[in-house]
Amino acid sequence: MMTTHPFDDDRLHEECGVYAIYGNADAAKHTALGLHALQHRGQEASGIVSFDGEQFNAHRDNGQVGDIFAKPRVMDRLKGHAAIGHNRYSTEGDTVLRNVQPLFADLEFGGFALAHNGNLTNARKLRRELVHRGSLFQSTTDTEVVIHLMATAPANTVIERLIHALRQIEGAYSFVAMTSDQIIGVRDPLGVRPLVLGKLGDSYILASETCALDIVGADFIRDVGAGEVVVIDDNGLRSLRPFPPCQQRFCIFEHIYFARPDSIVEGTSVYEARKRIGAELARESHVDADMVVPVPDSGVPAALGYANQANIPFELGIIRNHYVGRTFIEPSDSIRHLGVKLKHNANRAYLRGKRVVLVDDSIVRGTTSAKIVNMVRQAGAAEVHMRIAAPPTRHPCFYGIDTPSEAELLASQYDVAGMAERIGCDSLAFVSFDGMYRAMGEPGRNAAEPQFCDACFTGDYPIRLVDQEDRENCRQQLSLLAE
């Protein structure tokens, strides 16, 4: 069987989703609902850990939230007034059960559960040092490094141990954690990865996105600040700022693709931001056409913005089949090319003889875009113009998004004209950096102090890539030895 849909292999894959709630009799059930709302952030595995006043209860499994937590007997075991949960897409560590989060350990102070969205860029270096000192790792995830750093910290309280660990790690991260009497939320000093705070009655909630608050009827309070540690217990909420303030670099791709359109991210409606990017695209790269067609589903808001600005009709020229998961037949050469049609099909009646503008959120390897363009042409379109609601993706992400290597990224190998030729479209254009930033409410990209993390477009990595640099040094040394 194919383990990945052929259409999905050419997407930037989501990172992970985290959720935590304190002071609610149905904590685990609310967590399962929150994880369901965050399913788009990770579909490989899911887990919940709860605390019932006497013991920690956990259930983790590979698969999606609805399949894992639908059984009443599973939820009945997850008793307690506090819980944390995690949806996983693996950017570090194998897809095996021991890597499914939240991770749990019995430390000197008691039980501790931890869930993580993001990527630690010095995890391998720290892991080597910890193993040398005698630490025994149970998983291959970068997240477990934090637990071992806490276990060996020269500190007394949980928060002191956690801050000691945070000061040693580097990377982009949002953590939610739980002890027997509190939940904790942490965001990296540059605020690259998202984390929001909400409230449902007297219960506090932490989640990756506001859509996870909406599903349980909770009120959004605010974003957890860059570098902030929030501690929630029976006394309420307190905020700690263990890091010196610095220029925030929130991930721009959350606005472009990763966050759900109905979420509010850093005070901005994701849906509105994507429509504004589409409008900028229309201003910058207008082409005479008969219709604007989104590549479902992520291209829809930008296509609406493009169509409104260009005064060209918006049409669903491509229909998505929402009931396709994994390919259910062997991928022999004779049928492999049909894989795209399992998930998307051209709306022939509307496309025939038309000049079409296709709008998508990004181009990664380019294989998906080529299949889409070919499908639209076969449906009878007279012209196919492609417009992308992001600048060219030329560099891999090391901060929690699973991207191909630079050599596999189409934009790192070809200029725009070469990409258009490879994809087979009549014209191709990307939104400019300034256009993207204008859509975010900024006058343009400040080269001296960029307002977002846009490393996948620019190669400007705001956090040190310690492990990556070590790999490059090893490669260079091996190359010199080979010579």
Side-chain angles (χ1 to χ4, degrees):
M1 292 286 190
M2 295 179 71
T3 56
T4 304
H5 194 283
F7 215 74
D8 293 335
D9 190 47
D10 191 29
R11 307 300 296 180
L12 292 176
H13 288 290
E14 295 83 347
E15 325 101 324
C16 295
V18 297
Y19 190 94
I21 184 169
Y22 187 88
N24 191 291
D26 291 321
K29 292 179 180 177
H30 281 85
T31 301
L33 287 169
L35 292 178
H36 181 75
L38 297 171
Q39 187 72 86
H40 60 288
R41 299 187 72 87
Q43 298 91 46
E44 288 188 356
S46 188
I48 294 175
V49 176
S50 68
F51 184 73
D52 62 13
E54 296 182 0
Q55 66 180 16
F56 290 87
N57 309 289
H59 187 79
R60 310 175 190 87
D61 206 349
N62 292 312
Q64 297 192 4
V65 177
D67 298 322
I68 297 170
F69 298 108
K71 302 178 181 67
R73 60 183 176 82
V74 171
M75 297 307 301
D76 288 344
R77 291 200 304 267
L78 296 172
K79 299 182 185 301
H81 68 285
I84 68 171
H86 185 265
N87 285 338
R88 185 166 194 260
Y89 181 85
S90 59
T91 58
E92 280 291 324
D94 300 324
T95 308
V96 293
L97 195 56
R98 65 179 175 147
N99 287 337
V100 180
Q101 300 184 30
L103 301 182
F104 178 82
D106 279 307
L107 302 181
E108 184 180 9
F109 56 77
F112 182 75
L114 180 68
H116 172 206
N117 168 32
N119 198 45
L120 305 184
T121 58
N122 66 339
R124 291 172 187 259
K125 177 177 181 291
L126 290 172
R127 186 184 182 108
R128 287 196 300 269
E129 295 170 356
L130 286 162
V131 169
H132 182 72
R133 282 155 40 190
S135 291
L136 300 174
F137 280 76
Q138 301 300 309
S139 76
T140 60
T141 67
D142 57 346
T143 311
E144 192 180 353
V145 166
V146 177
I147 292 176
H148 288 277
L149 290 173
M150 291 180 65
T152 57
N156 295 317
T157 70
V158 175
I159 301 303
E160 287 171 347
R161 287 174 180 267
L162 177 58
I163 291 174
H164 175 81
L166 294 175
R167 286 178 172 153
Q168 295 178 75
I169 64 175
E170 296 186 55
Y173 54 82
S174 288
F175 293 116
V176 293
M178 180 174 64
T179 69
S180 60
D181 59 2
Q182 61 191 357
I183 61 170
I184 305 160
V186 183
R187 201 162 170 211
D188 67 79
L190 296 187
V192 177
R193 301 265 70 88
L195 191 65
V196 299
L197 176 68
K199 200 169 186 186
L200 178 66
D202 295 328
S203 305
Y204 280 101
I205 298 174
L206 295 162
S208 293
E209 295 181 36
T210 59
C211 63
L213 304 177
D214 296 338
I215 197 171
V216 298
D219 294 322
F220 169 70
I221 298 176
R222 63 178 176 87
D223 292 284
V224 175
E228 183 181 11
V229 177
V230 293
V231 183
I232 298 162
D233 56 23
D234 287 343
N235 297 316
L237 180 145
R238 60 192 171 105
S239 171
L240 305 173
R241 299 277 184 170
F243 301 104
C246 55
Q247 172 70 36
Q248 184 168 341
R249 297 289 296 274
F250 183 68
C251 173
I252 191 69
F253 236 106
E254 291 283 352
H255 290 291
I256 293 168
Y257 175 65
F258 289 121
R260 240 175 63 166
D262 50 334
S263 285
I264 308 295
V265 172
E266 294 292 303
T268 299
S269 161
V270 174
Y271 180 74
E272 284 299 324
R274 291 175 186 171
K275 284 182 67 177
R276 291 198 297 267
I277 293 175
E280 291 290 344
L281 257 178
R283 293 187 190 100
E284 294 178 346
S285 57
H286 175 75
V287 61
D288 289 334
D290 300 307
M291 64 173 64
V292 176
V293 172
V295 177
D297 286 327
S298 55
V300 171
L304 282 168
Y306 189 106
N308 290 339
Q309 178 63 36
N311 197 27
I312 299 173
F314 171 95
E315 299 289 357
L316 296 180
I318 301 170
I319 306 300
R320 180 180 174 186
N321 180 358
H322 289 268
Y323 302 99
V324 173
R326 295 182 175 185
T327 305
F328 55 90
I329 48 181
E330 293 293 333
S332 61
D333 290 339
S334 61
I335 60 91
R336 188 184 300 273
H337 70 284
L338 299 178
V340 65
K341 295 186 178 180
L342 290 172
K343 196 167 185 178
H344 295 80
N345 192 43
N347 191 351
R348 291 177 175 272
Y350 272 79
L351 295 174
R352 189 177 296 113
K354 299 297 196 308
R355 298 169 299 168
V356 177
V357 176
L358 285 176
V359 178
D360 204 355
D361 57 85
S362 59
I363 292 178
V364 185
R365 293 179 178 89
T367 53
T368 292
S369 300
K371 290 174 182 177
I372 285 284
V373 169
N374 183 57
M375 183 175 67
V376 172
R377 284 203 189 281
Q378 287 186 343
E383 297 176 12
V384 183
H385 305 273
M386 198 149 205
R387 296 295 180 264
I388 306 300
T393 303
R394 293 193 169 97
H395 307 276
C397 175
F398 298 99
Y399 301 140
I401 297 169
D402 187 29
T403 53
S405 66
E406 191 161 316
E408 294 178 282
L409 293 168
L410 192 67
S412 71
Q413 306 302 313
Y414 298 92
D415 60 14
V416 174
M419 293 175 73
E421 185 177 353
R422 294 278 297 185
I423 291 167
C425 54
D426 292 290
S427 73
L428 172 66
F430 298 79
V431 73
S432 68
F433 284 110
D434 284 346
M436 177 177 67
Y437 272 76
R438 282 194 299 269
M440 296 299 113
E442 303 285 349
R445 186 180 192 270
N446 184 337
E449 290 187 339
Q451 304 93 314
F452 295 95
C453 177
D454 52 18
C456 53
F457 308 130
T458 63
D460 174 18
Y461 295 100
I463 301 167
R464 283 201 315 155
L465 306 177
V466 178
D467 293 335
Q468 186 66 16
E469 290 167 2
D470 285 349
R471 290 191 192 98
E472 291 299 324
N473 289 335
C474 286
R475 287 194 193 100
Q476 290 175 11
Q477 290 172 13
L478 289 171
S479 177
L480 289 172
L481 288 171
E483 293 175 0

